[in-house]
């Protein structure tokens, strides 16, 4: 079963550097969910990149910051865990575990969506699952 909070975050439009229900990028969505649902405050980071759609820019951001944001890698997805997702073999996208084999994430074409980990657009792209601090 998916977590109760998931449904209110589906359909939020994609906005690069967005941090609210009116629009989010992938980091903004994870940050919003963790703050609203779990009282976990991640750093802002919106001043650290210009365009969330730029893979080279987000890959560098992830390389520099993911160790700071996550406590440890875990083998299986669990509640509050962040999924780090690759594109062109570089970690540059994140989502949050939504329960029952689903990940909540966002992209510029669809806005926020909840997809199965096995969905063709995610299959083979999950670099790992991480606990957050």
């Amino acid at each position: 079963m998916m977590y109760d909070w998931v449904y209110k975050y589906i359909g939020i439009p994609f906005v690069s550097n967005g941090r609210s229900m009116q629009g989010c990028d992938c980091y903004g969505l994870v940050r919003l969910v963790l703050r609203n649902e779990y009282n976990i405050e991640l750093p802002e980071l919106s001043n650290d990149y210009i365009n969330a759609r730029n893979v080279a820019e987000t890959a560098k951001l992830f390389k520099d910051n993911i160790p700071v944001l996550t406590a440890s890698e875990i083998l299986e997805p669990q509640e509050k865990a962040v999924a780090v997702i690759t594109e062109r073999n570089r970690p540059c996208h994140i989502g949050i575990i939504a329960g029952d084999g689903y990940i909540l994430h966002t992209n510029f074409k669809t806005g926020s969506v909840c997809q199965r980990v096995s969905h063709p657009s995610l299959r083979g792209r999950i670099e790992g699952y991480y606990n957050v601090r």
Side-chain angles (χ1 to χ4, degrees), residues 12-46:
I12 295 173
F14 177 89
V15 173
S16 188
N17 289 301
R19 299 290 185 265
S20 72
M21 296 295 281
Q22 286 68 49
C24 289
D25 57 23
C26 66
Y27 181 77
L29 180 63
V30 168
R31 187 175 187 266
L32 185 67
V33 170
L34 288 173
R35 180 184 36 192
N36 290 350
E37 306 304 325
Y38 299 103
N39 276 335
I40 296 172
E41 194 68 42
L42 295 180
E44 174 57 46
L45 297 186
S46 65

Side-chain angles (χ1 to χ4, degrees), residues 26 52 55 58-59 62 84-87 90-94 125:
C26 66
V55 173
T58 56
F62 277 54
V84 175
I85 302 164
T86 63
E87 186 168 319
R90 293 186 281 189
C92 61
H93 182 55
I94 59 174
R125 293 182 53 214

Side-chain angles (χ1 to χ4, degrees), residues 42-110:
L42 295 180
E44 174 57 46
L45 297 186
S46 65
N47 293 326
D48 295 349
Y49 61 99
I50 296 169
N51 183 356
R53 291 178 55 190
N54 183 320
V55 173
E57 211 176 329
T58 56
K60 180 181 178 347
L61 179 76
F62 277 54
K63 182 180 178 191
D64 294 345
N65 290 287
I66 289 299
V68 173
L69 304 177
T70 59
S72 59
E73 187 170 9
I74 54 178
L75 297 177
E76 294 293 323
Q78 61 190 23
E79 189 169 1
K80 298 187 281 185
V82 171
V84 175
I85 302 164
T86 63
E87 186 168 319
R88 299 180 212 147
N89 296 316
R90 293 186 281 189
C92 61
H93 182 55
I94 59 174
I96 188 162
I97 299 306
D100 200 28
Y102 284 86
I103 293 176
L104 178 71
H105 68 114
T106 189
N107 70 60
F108 72 96
K109 291 180 182 176
T110 63

Side-chain angles (χ1 to χ4, degrees), residues 83 85-86 93 101-105 113-127:
I85 302 164
T86 63
H93 182 55
Y102 284 86
I103 293 176
L104 178 71
H105 68 114
V113 294
C114 198
Q115 294 178 310
R116 282 207 169 277
V117 172
S118 60
H119 189 274
S121 69
L122 294 172
R123 194 176 310 124
R125 293 182 53 214
I126 298 173
E127 183 271 341

